[in-house]
C-alpha cells in the first residue's frame, strides 16, 4: 500500500490511478488497512458522506478527483464537450453537498469548475479538458502536501517551550494528503527531539483520536497517551499540557474557528488554565465569505453514531439525540492560527484579511 508523503509509516489517504480514486477506508482503522475504489463522482460523494475519507483537506482533495473522474468518464465514452461540461457540473453539485462544514470541500469543487470553465472558453477539446482537470486535482493535492510541511515547521517554531501537547480528533496525515495540520507540528517536534508527550483525546462519538491519531502516532513511534475527552481539563490543571493543537474545518472572516465538536470545551479549559490553543490549518480552510462562526453550517449526523458503540446499544434506541459534529471556538480564545502563509495572532477580521491579501 502507498504511504503518505512526509510520513512513510502511515498509509496514503488517497491515490488516483487511471480514472479511479482509491481511498484508504478510515472506518476500518486501526484494525484493517483496506482501500475503497471509487470510479464515479457519486461513489466519491458517498465515501465522503460515510467518512471513508474525512478531515477537511482530505475531503477537498477527494472531491477534486471526483470532479476529474466525472470528466474522464464522459471523455472515455466519447461524449461531447457540452456533455462533459454538464457531467462535471452535476458531479460538482453532488460533491459540494456531501458534507457541509469544511470549506475545503466547496473551495476545491469551485476551483475545479473554474478550471473546466476556463478550458471551455479557451476552446479546448473534450480530452484536453479531462486532462486539465486531472492535473488540477493533482496540483491541489500537491499544494496540501507542501502546506502541511510548512505549517508543521511554523507551528513547531511558535512556542519553544512546547514539549507536552494535547490534540483532538485527527488532524494528521489521515486528515490530509500530506503530514497533516496539527499533527504536522507533532511530527516536526518529534524529529527535532523536542517532544515528550502527545495526549490524544479519543474524540467521541466516532473516535478519530483513538482510532486514527493513536494509530498514526504508534506507526511513527511517537510518544502518546490516549485519554477520554473529559480528562483534558484535569491534565491542564496538573500542568501536564504546554499547548493544545487542533486543526479546523472552517475559519470565518472574523477568526472564529469551526472544528470537531469538543474543541470549544478545550478552548474554554485552555483559557482558564492559561494554556495556548493553537489552530493549524491551510488557507484553503479560511472562508472570507463567512463573516463569523454563527454563519458556518454545522453538520448534524445520525443519532446512531451516539446511541450505538462498537455494535452495542450505548443508550436506549429511542433516546432523543443531538449529534452536532462540529462546534465554534470564538477567535479571542485562539492563541494563534498557523497557516502555510504564516502565523496569525491575535485572530480577528483585520489579521485574517491581511493573511488573505496577496503579497
Ligand atoms: O468529522 P471529521 O473526522 O472529518 O472531522 C475532522 C476534523 O474536525 C479535523 O480537526 C479537521 O478537519 C482538520 S483536519 C486537518
Amino acid at each position: 500500500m502507498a504511504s503518505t508523503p512526509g510520513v512513510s509509516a502511515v498509509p496514503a489517504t488517497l491515490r488516483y490511478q487511471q480514472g479511479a480514486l482509491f481511498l484508504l477506508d478510515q472506518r476500518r482503522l486501526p484494525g484493517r488497512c483496506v482501500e475503497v475504489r471509487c470510479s464515479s463522482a457519486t461513489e466519491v460523494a458517498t465515501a465522503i458522506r460515510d467518512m471513508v475519507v474525512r478531515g477537511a483537506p482530505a475531503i477537498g482533495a477527494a472531491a477534486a478527483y471526483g470532479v476529474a473522474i466525472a470528466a474522464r468518464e464522459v471523455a472515455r465514452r466519447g461524449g461531447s464537450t457540452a456533455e462533459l461540461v454538464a457531467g462535471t457540473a452535476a458531479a460538482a453539485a453532488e460533491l459540494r453537498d456531501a458534507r457541509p462544514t469544511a470549506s475545503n470541500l466547496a473551495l476545491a469543487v469551485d476551483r475545479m469548475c473554474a478550471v473546466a470553465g476556463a478550458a471551455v472558453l479557451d476552446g479546448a477539446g473534450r480530452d484536453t479538458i479531462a486532462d486539465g482537470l486531472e492535473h488540477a486535482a493533482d496540483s491541489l493535492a500537491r499544494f496540501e502536501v507542501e502546506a502541511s510541511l510548512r505549517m508543521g515547521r511554523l507551528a513547531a517554531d511558535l512556542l519553544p517551550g512546547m514539549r507536552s501537547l494535547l490534540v483532538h480528533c485527527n488532524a494528521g496525515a489521515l486528515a490530509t494528503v500530506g503530514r497533516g495540520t496539527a499533527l504536522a507540528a507533532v511530527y516536526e517536534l518529534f524529529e527535532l527531539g523536542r517532544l515528550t508527550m502527545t495526549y490524544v483525546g479519543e474524540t467521541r462519538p466516532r473516535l478519530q483520536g483513538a482510532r486514527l491519531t493513536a494509530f498514526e502516532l504508534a506507526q511513527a513511534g511517537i510518544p502518546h497517551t490516549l485519554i477520554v475527552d473529559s480528562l483534558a481539563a484535569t491534565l491542564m490543571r496538573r500542568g501536564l499540557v504546554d499547548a493544545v493543537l487542533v486543526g479546523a474545518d472552517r475559519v470565518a472572516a472574523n477568526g472564529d474557528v469551526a472544528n470537531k465538536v469538543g474543541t470549544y470545551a478545550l478552548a474554554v479549559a485552555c483559557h482558564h488554565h492559561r494554556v495556548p490553543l493553537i489552530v493549524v490549518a491551510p488557507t484553503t480552510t479560511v472562508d472570507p465569505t463567512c463573516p463569523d462562526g454563527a454563519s458556518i453550517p454545522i453538520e448534524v449526523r445520525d443519532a446512531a453514531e451516539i446511541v450505538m458503540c462498537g455494535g452495542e446499544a450505548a443508550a436506549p434506541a429511542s433516546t432523543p439525540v443531538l449529534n452536532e459534529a462540529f462546534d465554534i471556538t470564538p477567535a479571542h480564545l485562539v492563541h494563534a492560527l498557523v497557516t502555510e502563509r504564516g502565523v496569525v495572532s491575535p485572530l480577528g477580521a483585520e489579521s485574517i484579511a491581511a493573511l488573505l491579501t496577496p503579497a
Side-chain angles (χ1 to χ4, degrees):
M1 193 168 279
S3 62
T4 299
V7 201
S8 55
V10 178
T13 306
L14 54 82
R15 64 189 173 90
Y16 182 75
Q17 212 179 328
Q18 293 170 343
L21 184 65
F22 294 83
L23 297 168
L24 177 66
D25 190 344
Q26 300 195 25
R27 301 167 305 177
R28 306 280 168 254
L29 290 172
R32 293 175 63 204
C33 279
V34 288
E35 287 180 326
V36 168
R37 181 179 187 276
C38 300
S39 51
S40 69
T42 298
E43 285 177 1
V44 177
T46 302
I48 292 172
R49 212 175 297 114
D50 293 348
M51 296 178 70
V52 171
V53 60
R54 31 66 53 201
I59 61 177
Y65 282 113
V67 175
I69 288 171
R72 178 58 64 205
E73 196 269 319
V74 176
R76 264 200 193 133
R77 68 176 151 81
S80 65
T81 305
E83 282 172 320
L84 185 143
V85 170
T88 50
E94 187 178 13
L95 287 156
R96 210 173 198 284
D97 281 352
R99 290 188 76 190
T101 303
S103 56
N104 309 58
L105 177 59
L107 186 76
V109 165
D110 290 349
R111 286 201 180 154
M112 294 297 283
C113 290
V115 169
V120 172
L121 281 179
D122 279 355
R126 189 190 57 207
D127 293 326
T128 308
I129 302 174
D131 289 348
L133 286 172
E134 284 175 348
H135 291 145
D138 286 343
S139 71
L140 194 139
R142 260 196 318 274
F143 166 84
E144 297 294 355
V145 171
E146 283 156 21
S148 275
L149 284 170
R150 278 203 295 276
M151 288 185 290
R153 288 187 196 122
L154 288 170
D157 283 348
L158 191 59
L159 297 173
M162 233 166 34
R163 303 190 79 81
S164 178
L165 304 176
L166 190 145
V167 297
H168 186 56
C169 193
N170 173 264
L174 295 168
T176 66
V177 280
R179 285 195 139 189
T181 57
L183 275 201
V186 170
Y187 288 118
E188 185 76 21
L189 286 167
F190 176 68
E191 286 163 6
L192 294 169
R194 283 169 43 198
L195 186 78
T196 52
M197 184 49 68
T198 315
Y199 291 102
V200 179
E202 62 174 352
T203 318
R204 279 281 291 157
R206 293 192 65 109
L207 302 176
Q208 290 94 328
R211 293 189 304 102
L212 307 177
T213 300
F215 169 77
E216 274 194 38
L217 297 180
Q219 291 291 111
I222 295 180
H224 62 284
T225 302
L226 182 64
I227 59 165
V228 294
D229 300 320
S230 37
L231 188 64
T234 298
L235 297 188
M236 290 182 207
R237 193 184 62 209
R238 288 188 198 145
L240 291 174
V241 180
D242 297 325
V244 171
L245 263 65
V246 295
D249 283 79
R250 196 182 295 226
V251 178
N254 72 341
D256 290 350
V257 173
N259 190 47
K260 180 54 56 190
V261 66
T263 303
Y264 175 54
L266 282 172
V268 171
C270 281
H271 183 69
H272 184 76
H273 293 287
R274 301 196 198 306
V275 171
L277 172 79
I278 297 167
V279 176
V280 188
T283 46
T284 42
T285 302
V286 182
D287 180 1
T289 69
C290 252
D292 52 27
S295 47
I296 298 178
I298 298 293
E299 178 178 11
V300 177
R301 293 189 63 88
D302 203 294
E305 290 184 347
I306 295 183
V307 298
M308 297 297 290
C309 191
E312 298 286 332
S318 59
T319 304
V321 164
L322 176 59
N323 186 11
E324 294 193 1
F326 300 94
D327 62 23
I328 304 294
T329 298
H332 71 91
L333 292 180
V334 178
H335 174 77
L337 167 68
V338 179
T339 76
E340 81 287 357
R341 288 195 198 165
V343 177
V344 181
S345 180
L347 268 188
E350 272 180 31
S351 56
I352 293 287
L355 171 77
L356 297 180
T357 305

